[in-house]
Amino acid sequence: MVNVAVLIKQIIDIDQMKTDSEGKPILTGVPYRLENLSKNAIEAAVRIKEKQGGKVTGIIFGTEAGTSAMKESYAMGVDEGILITGYKGSNPQVTAKAILTYLRQIQFDIVILGDQSADSYTGMLPGLISAGLGIPLLGNANKIDIEGKVVRITQVGETENVEMEAEMPVVVSVTQEINEPRLPPVLQIMAAGRKPIRTEKFDGSFSKVSVLSNLAPKSERKRKVFEKVDEGVAEIVKVLKEEVR
């Protein structure tokens, strides 16, 4: 049997988000949703449970709005859930410390989470969780296999994929290519709404580090139109060279 802790994130629906004249996001009225990579992490965790036996515990850190995300996670196959409330920011160090507090209270063999989040893209949380627990990190996995106490992954690289392994307990971060998250049937969705969610209040004194900005750099288009292909290619190459310098 393999017990899995899966870290789940609920984010604003970035597809419906707009920005103001300064490039800052307008969040008023934007609904929340379960993040896509969290769905991949949940699917990976549930598949391990179905094959190996054991239990899947989900952990969400954020606000009371996370209840809906946890219910969706239940419908996908998560057995128990911990919702840590009281935080609206996006500081990986704060997130890691809060989650580590509750990870240390449960039994797990594997911690699974997305390799980054769609709202900040820092990619820092897997490493922070691994370091905080003092256990190996198998990152950027697009395949997970378990043999006894050994977890083996295929890691996505820029030029080639690499196989890595470590003995449990381990932290595994997954890519979106690892699976296709299931769509739970109606009966599971209805049953999920009746399951209890353990709710804990976040102590905001965990960190004095603050995030000054997480906005993407502003990018301006050249808005140039070329009538002749040959002239256009030469000009584009020239512009790119200037940008590199």
Side-chain angles (χ1 to χ4, degrees), residues 54-68:
K55 182 175 71 173
V56 176
T57 303
I59 300 178
I60 295 178
F61 179 43
T63 67
E64 288 78 2
T67 300
S68 61

Side-chain angles (χ1 to χ4, degrees), residues 8-241:
I8 305 163
K9 188 164 187 178
Q10 181 171 256
I11 65 172
I12 60 171
D13 192 337
I14 55 179
D15 294 331
Q16 300 187 43
M17 185 184 70
K18 297 181 180 180
T19 58
D20 61 20
S21 58
E22 297 181 355
K24 296 180 180 180
I26 301 172
L27 306 180
T28 305
V30 181
Y32 285 83
R33 66 171 174 82
L34 182 60
E35 186 202 25
N36 289 340
L37 267 168
S38 289
K39 292 182 181 181
N40 294 114
I42 294 168
E43 181 65 28
V46 173
R47 290 187 187 187
I48 290 173
K49 178 185 72 170
E50 292 171 343
K51 188 174 182 179
Q52 305 285 339
K55 182 175 71 173
V56 176
T57 303
I59 300 178
I60 295 178
F61 179 43
T63 67
E64 288 78 2
T67 300
S68 61
M70 186 62 78
K71 289 181 178 180
E72 186 175 350
S73 303
Y74 280 165
M76 292 179 66
V78 171
D79 299 296
E80 295 181 1
I82 302 173
L83 172 61
I84 312 168
T85 66
Y87 187 62
K88 294 182 179 180
S90 184
N91 185 328
Q93 289 187 321
V94 174
T95 300
K97 289 184 178 181
I99 290 174
L100 284 167
T101 299
Y102 295 96
L103 275 174
R104 295 188 179 108
Q105 298 178 14
I106 64 175
Q107 291 186 342
F108 65 85
D109 301 296
I110 305 175
V111 178
I112 298 181
L113 71 162
D115 59 356
Q116 56 190 351
S117 59
D119 59 346
S120 61
Y121 286 99
T122 66
M124 293 174 60
L125 193 59
L128 290 170
I129 296 296
S130 170
L133 294 172
I135 60 177
L137 167 63
L138 302 177
N140 297 342
N142 67 359
K143 183 180 180 183
I144 304 174
D145 293 307
I146 299 175
E147 295 181 9
K149 292 294 183 181
V150 176
V151 179
R152 184 176 294 108
I153 72 158
T154 300
Q155 183 185 74
V156 178
E158 291 185 4
T159 57
E160 61 181 9
N161 293 347
V162 179
E163 288 192 355
M164 302 176 64
E165 66 178 40
E167 287 194 1
M168 295 185 278
V170 297
V171 176
V172 179
S173 68
V174 300
T175 67
Q176 198 165 349
E177 293 76 23
I178 192 169
N179 55 44
E180 183 67 31
R182 68 191 65 191
L183 295 174
V186 175
L187 289 178
Q188 284 184 220
I189 295 173
M190 294 175 63
R194 297 189 293 269
K195 293 183 67 173
I197 300 173
R198 174 184 167 187
T199 303
E200 302 286 348
K201 185 71 175 178
F202 166 62
D203 179 1
S205 64
F206 283 157
S207 176
K208 295 181 180 180
V209 177
S210 61
V211 176
L212 300 180
S213 176
N214 62 353
L215 298 178
K218 194 172 182 179
S219 178
E220 294 287 351
R221 294 187 178 184
K222 299 297 182 181
R223 300 185 183 278
K224 292 187 176 182
V225 178
F226 302 99
E227 295 181 357
K228 295 182 180 181
V229 176
D230 293 342
E231 294 178 0
V233 172
E235 182 66 18
I236 290 171
V237 171
K238 180 182 178 181
V239 170
L240 290 175
K241 287 181 177 179

